[in-house]
Amino acid sequence: MNKIEIIKESSPDKPFLIIYKPKGLASAPLSADDKDNALAQALELFPQIKNVKGKKDIEYGLLHRLDTVTDGLMIIAATQECYDFLMEEQALGKITKYYHALCNFNPENTKELSGFPPSSVNLRKIEKGQIITLESYFRPFGKGNKEVRPVTPQSNKAALDKVGKKKLYQTQVKILSNTDKGVKVECKISQGFRHQVRCHLAWAGLPIQNDPLYNLDKKNAEEPIKFSATKIEFEYPRGDLNSYDRKDTWT
């Protein structure tokens, strides 16, 4: 069984946990008796989390999730006051999350995947330090709505009608290196949607290596995706910046 790693324990003045979730482990339970997930492991170590009422009764102080295939940092509040404060900060875009990814350079990727609108990013040359910003709504896509697709204000009515809340989500992408191994990037978001970074990178012509959903190059699809949530920054209490980071697991 994959085990979480405690990066920061709860304390009286900072009643929240920072955990590292490994790849292959779900973030949250599907039912009350589901124990094969990161939150269940955290509850065994810190039972006070059960006193927090979250968005769902079985999620307690969980602030956000990571995809099962993704590893990295997560926040879990250990008191109701902390949870309520951080949930409001998150809604205001005041919790910043960073991701590292190793990508292929393939501008044709989205044409073959289908469902993507034209991208405002036209990557012809990739240089270290280059910053790309992607912004879109999102809609569910594919069999069982297992994927998402970007939707822009210029998209057709059919795509726009499939958008729930018309909220624009932004991903800032910084090129860290470009070698024969791939393009390494750091992505920064302040508000997140399911699969946001993975989908936005594919949209930009930079599908993440081994991504089973958003990279058409499937030759290494059985290997772990080269994508990690590496850093979280937020204030708690307000005015006190907390920053936690952990190296990605694939370099």
Side-chain angles (χ1 to χ4, degrees):
M1 181 176 171
N2 289 332
K3 294 291 186 181
I4 63 171
E5 177 185 332
I6 305 301
I7 303 299
K8 182 226 168 272
E9 294 190 7
S10 174
S11 62
D13 60 329
K14 294 186 185 293
F16 56 83
L17 309 176
I18 303 295
I19 68 167
Y20 164 78
K21 182 195 82 67
K23 285 178 168 63
L25 182 68
S27 293
L30 295 175
S31 61
D33 59 353
D34 179 5
K35 303 301 181 186
D36 190 14
N37 58 82
L39 178 61
Q41 291 184 31
L43 286 168
E44 289 184 7
L45 297 170
F46 302 92
Q48 66 267 35
I49 297 169
K50 292 183 178 180
N51 296 324
V52 182
K53 183 173 177 57
K55 290 200 305 186
K56 294 181 180 178
D57 288 344
I58 60 173
E59 292 191 359
Y60 305 102
L62 187 67
L63 265 293
H64 61 104
R65 301 182 183 209
L66 293 175
D67 301 333
T68 299
V69 299
T70 304
D71 68 305
L73 301 183
M74 296 171 54
I75 313 169
I76 303 174
T79 67
Q80 192 67 49
E81 181 276 334
C82 181
Y83 176 82
D84 294 341
F85 176 86
L86 290 178
M87 282 296 288
E88 182 177 358
E89 293 291 281
Q90 186 165 249
L92 294 172
K94 293 184 177 180
I95 296 180
T96 306
K97 300 162 191 168
Y98 297 82
Y99 301 79
H100 279 188
L102 189 64
C103 305
N104 297 130
F105 176 50
N106 183 4
E108 302 302 311
N109 185 70
T110 56
K111 292 180 182 178
E112 297 185 52
L113 280 175
S114 80
F116 282 82
S119 173
S120 60
V121 175
N122 185 10
L123 285 181
R124 295 181 179 177
K125 188 175 182 181
I126 298 175
E127 298 178 350
K128 183 178 179 180
Q130 184 178 358
I131 294 176
I132 304 158
T133 301
L134 299 127
E135 185 176 72
S136 73
Y137 310 126
F138 283 99
R139 65 181 174 101
F141 185 85
K143 186 177 180 180
N145 290 332
K146 290 183 179 179
E147 302 175 35
V148 299
R149 291 292 186 265
V151 178
T152 70
Q154 292 75 40
S155 293
N156 60 46
K157 185 177 184 300
L160 286 165
D161 285 346
K162 293 178 182 176
V163 175
K165 184 179 180 182
K166 285 192 170 57
K167 179 177 180 178
L168 288 168
Y169 293 88
Q170 188 176 96
T171 303
Q172 185 183 93
V173 181
K174 182 177 181 180
I175 306 297
L176 299 180
S177 64
N178 182 17
T179 68
D180 55 359
K181 293 182 179 180
V183 183
K184 186 173 183 180
V185 301
E186 179 182 75
C187 299
K188 175 182 174 182
I189 64 173
S190 57
Q191 294 191 330
F193 194 87
R194 179 172 67 99
H195 296 182
Q196 174 180 332
V197 177
R198 294 167 63 187
C199 183
H200 269 172
L201 283 171
W203 190 32
L206 293 170
I208 301 171
Q209 291 184 10
N210 307 338
D211 191 326
L213 296 181
Y214 300 101
N215 191 339
L216 272 174
D217 184 357
K218 303 291 187 184
K219 64 177 181 286
N220 294 316
E222 297 303 315
E223 296 182 16
I225 186 173
K226 294 188 177 180
F227 181 55
S228 301
T230 52
K231 185 177 179 180
I232 295 178
E233 289 184 335
F234 57 93
E235 292 185 3
Y236 186 88
R238 187 165 284 119
D240 185 358
L241 181 65
N242 300 271
S243 182
Y244 303 92
D245 60 82
R246 189 184 193 281
K247 191 179 184 301
D248 59 68
T249 55
W250 37 265
T251 54

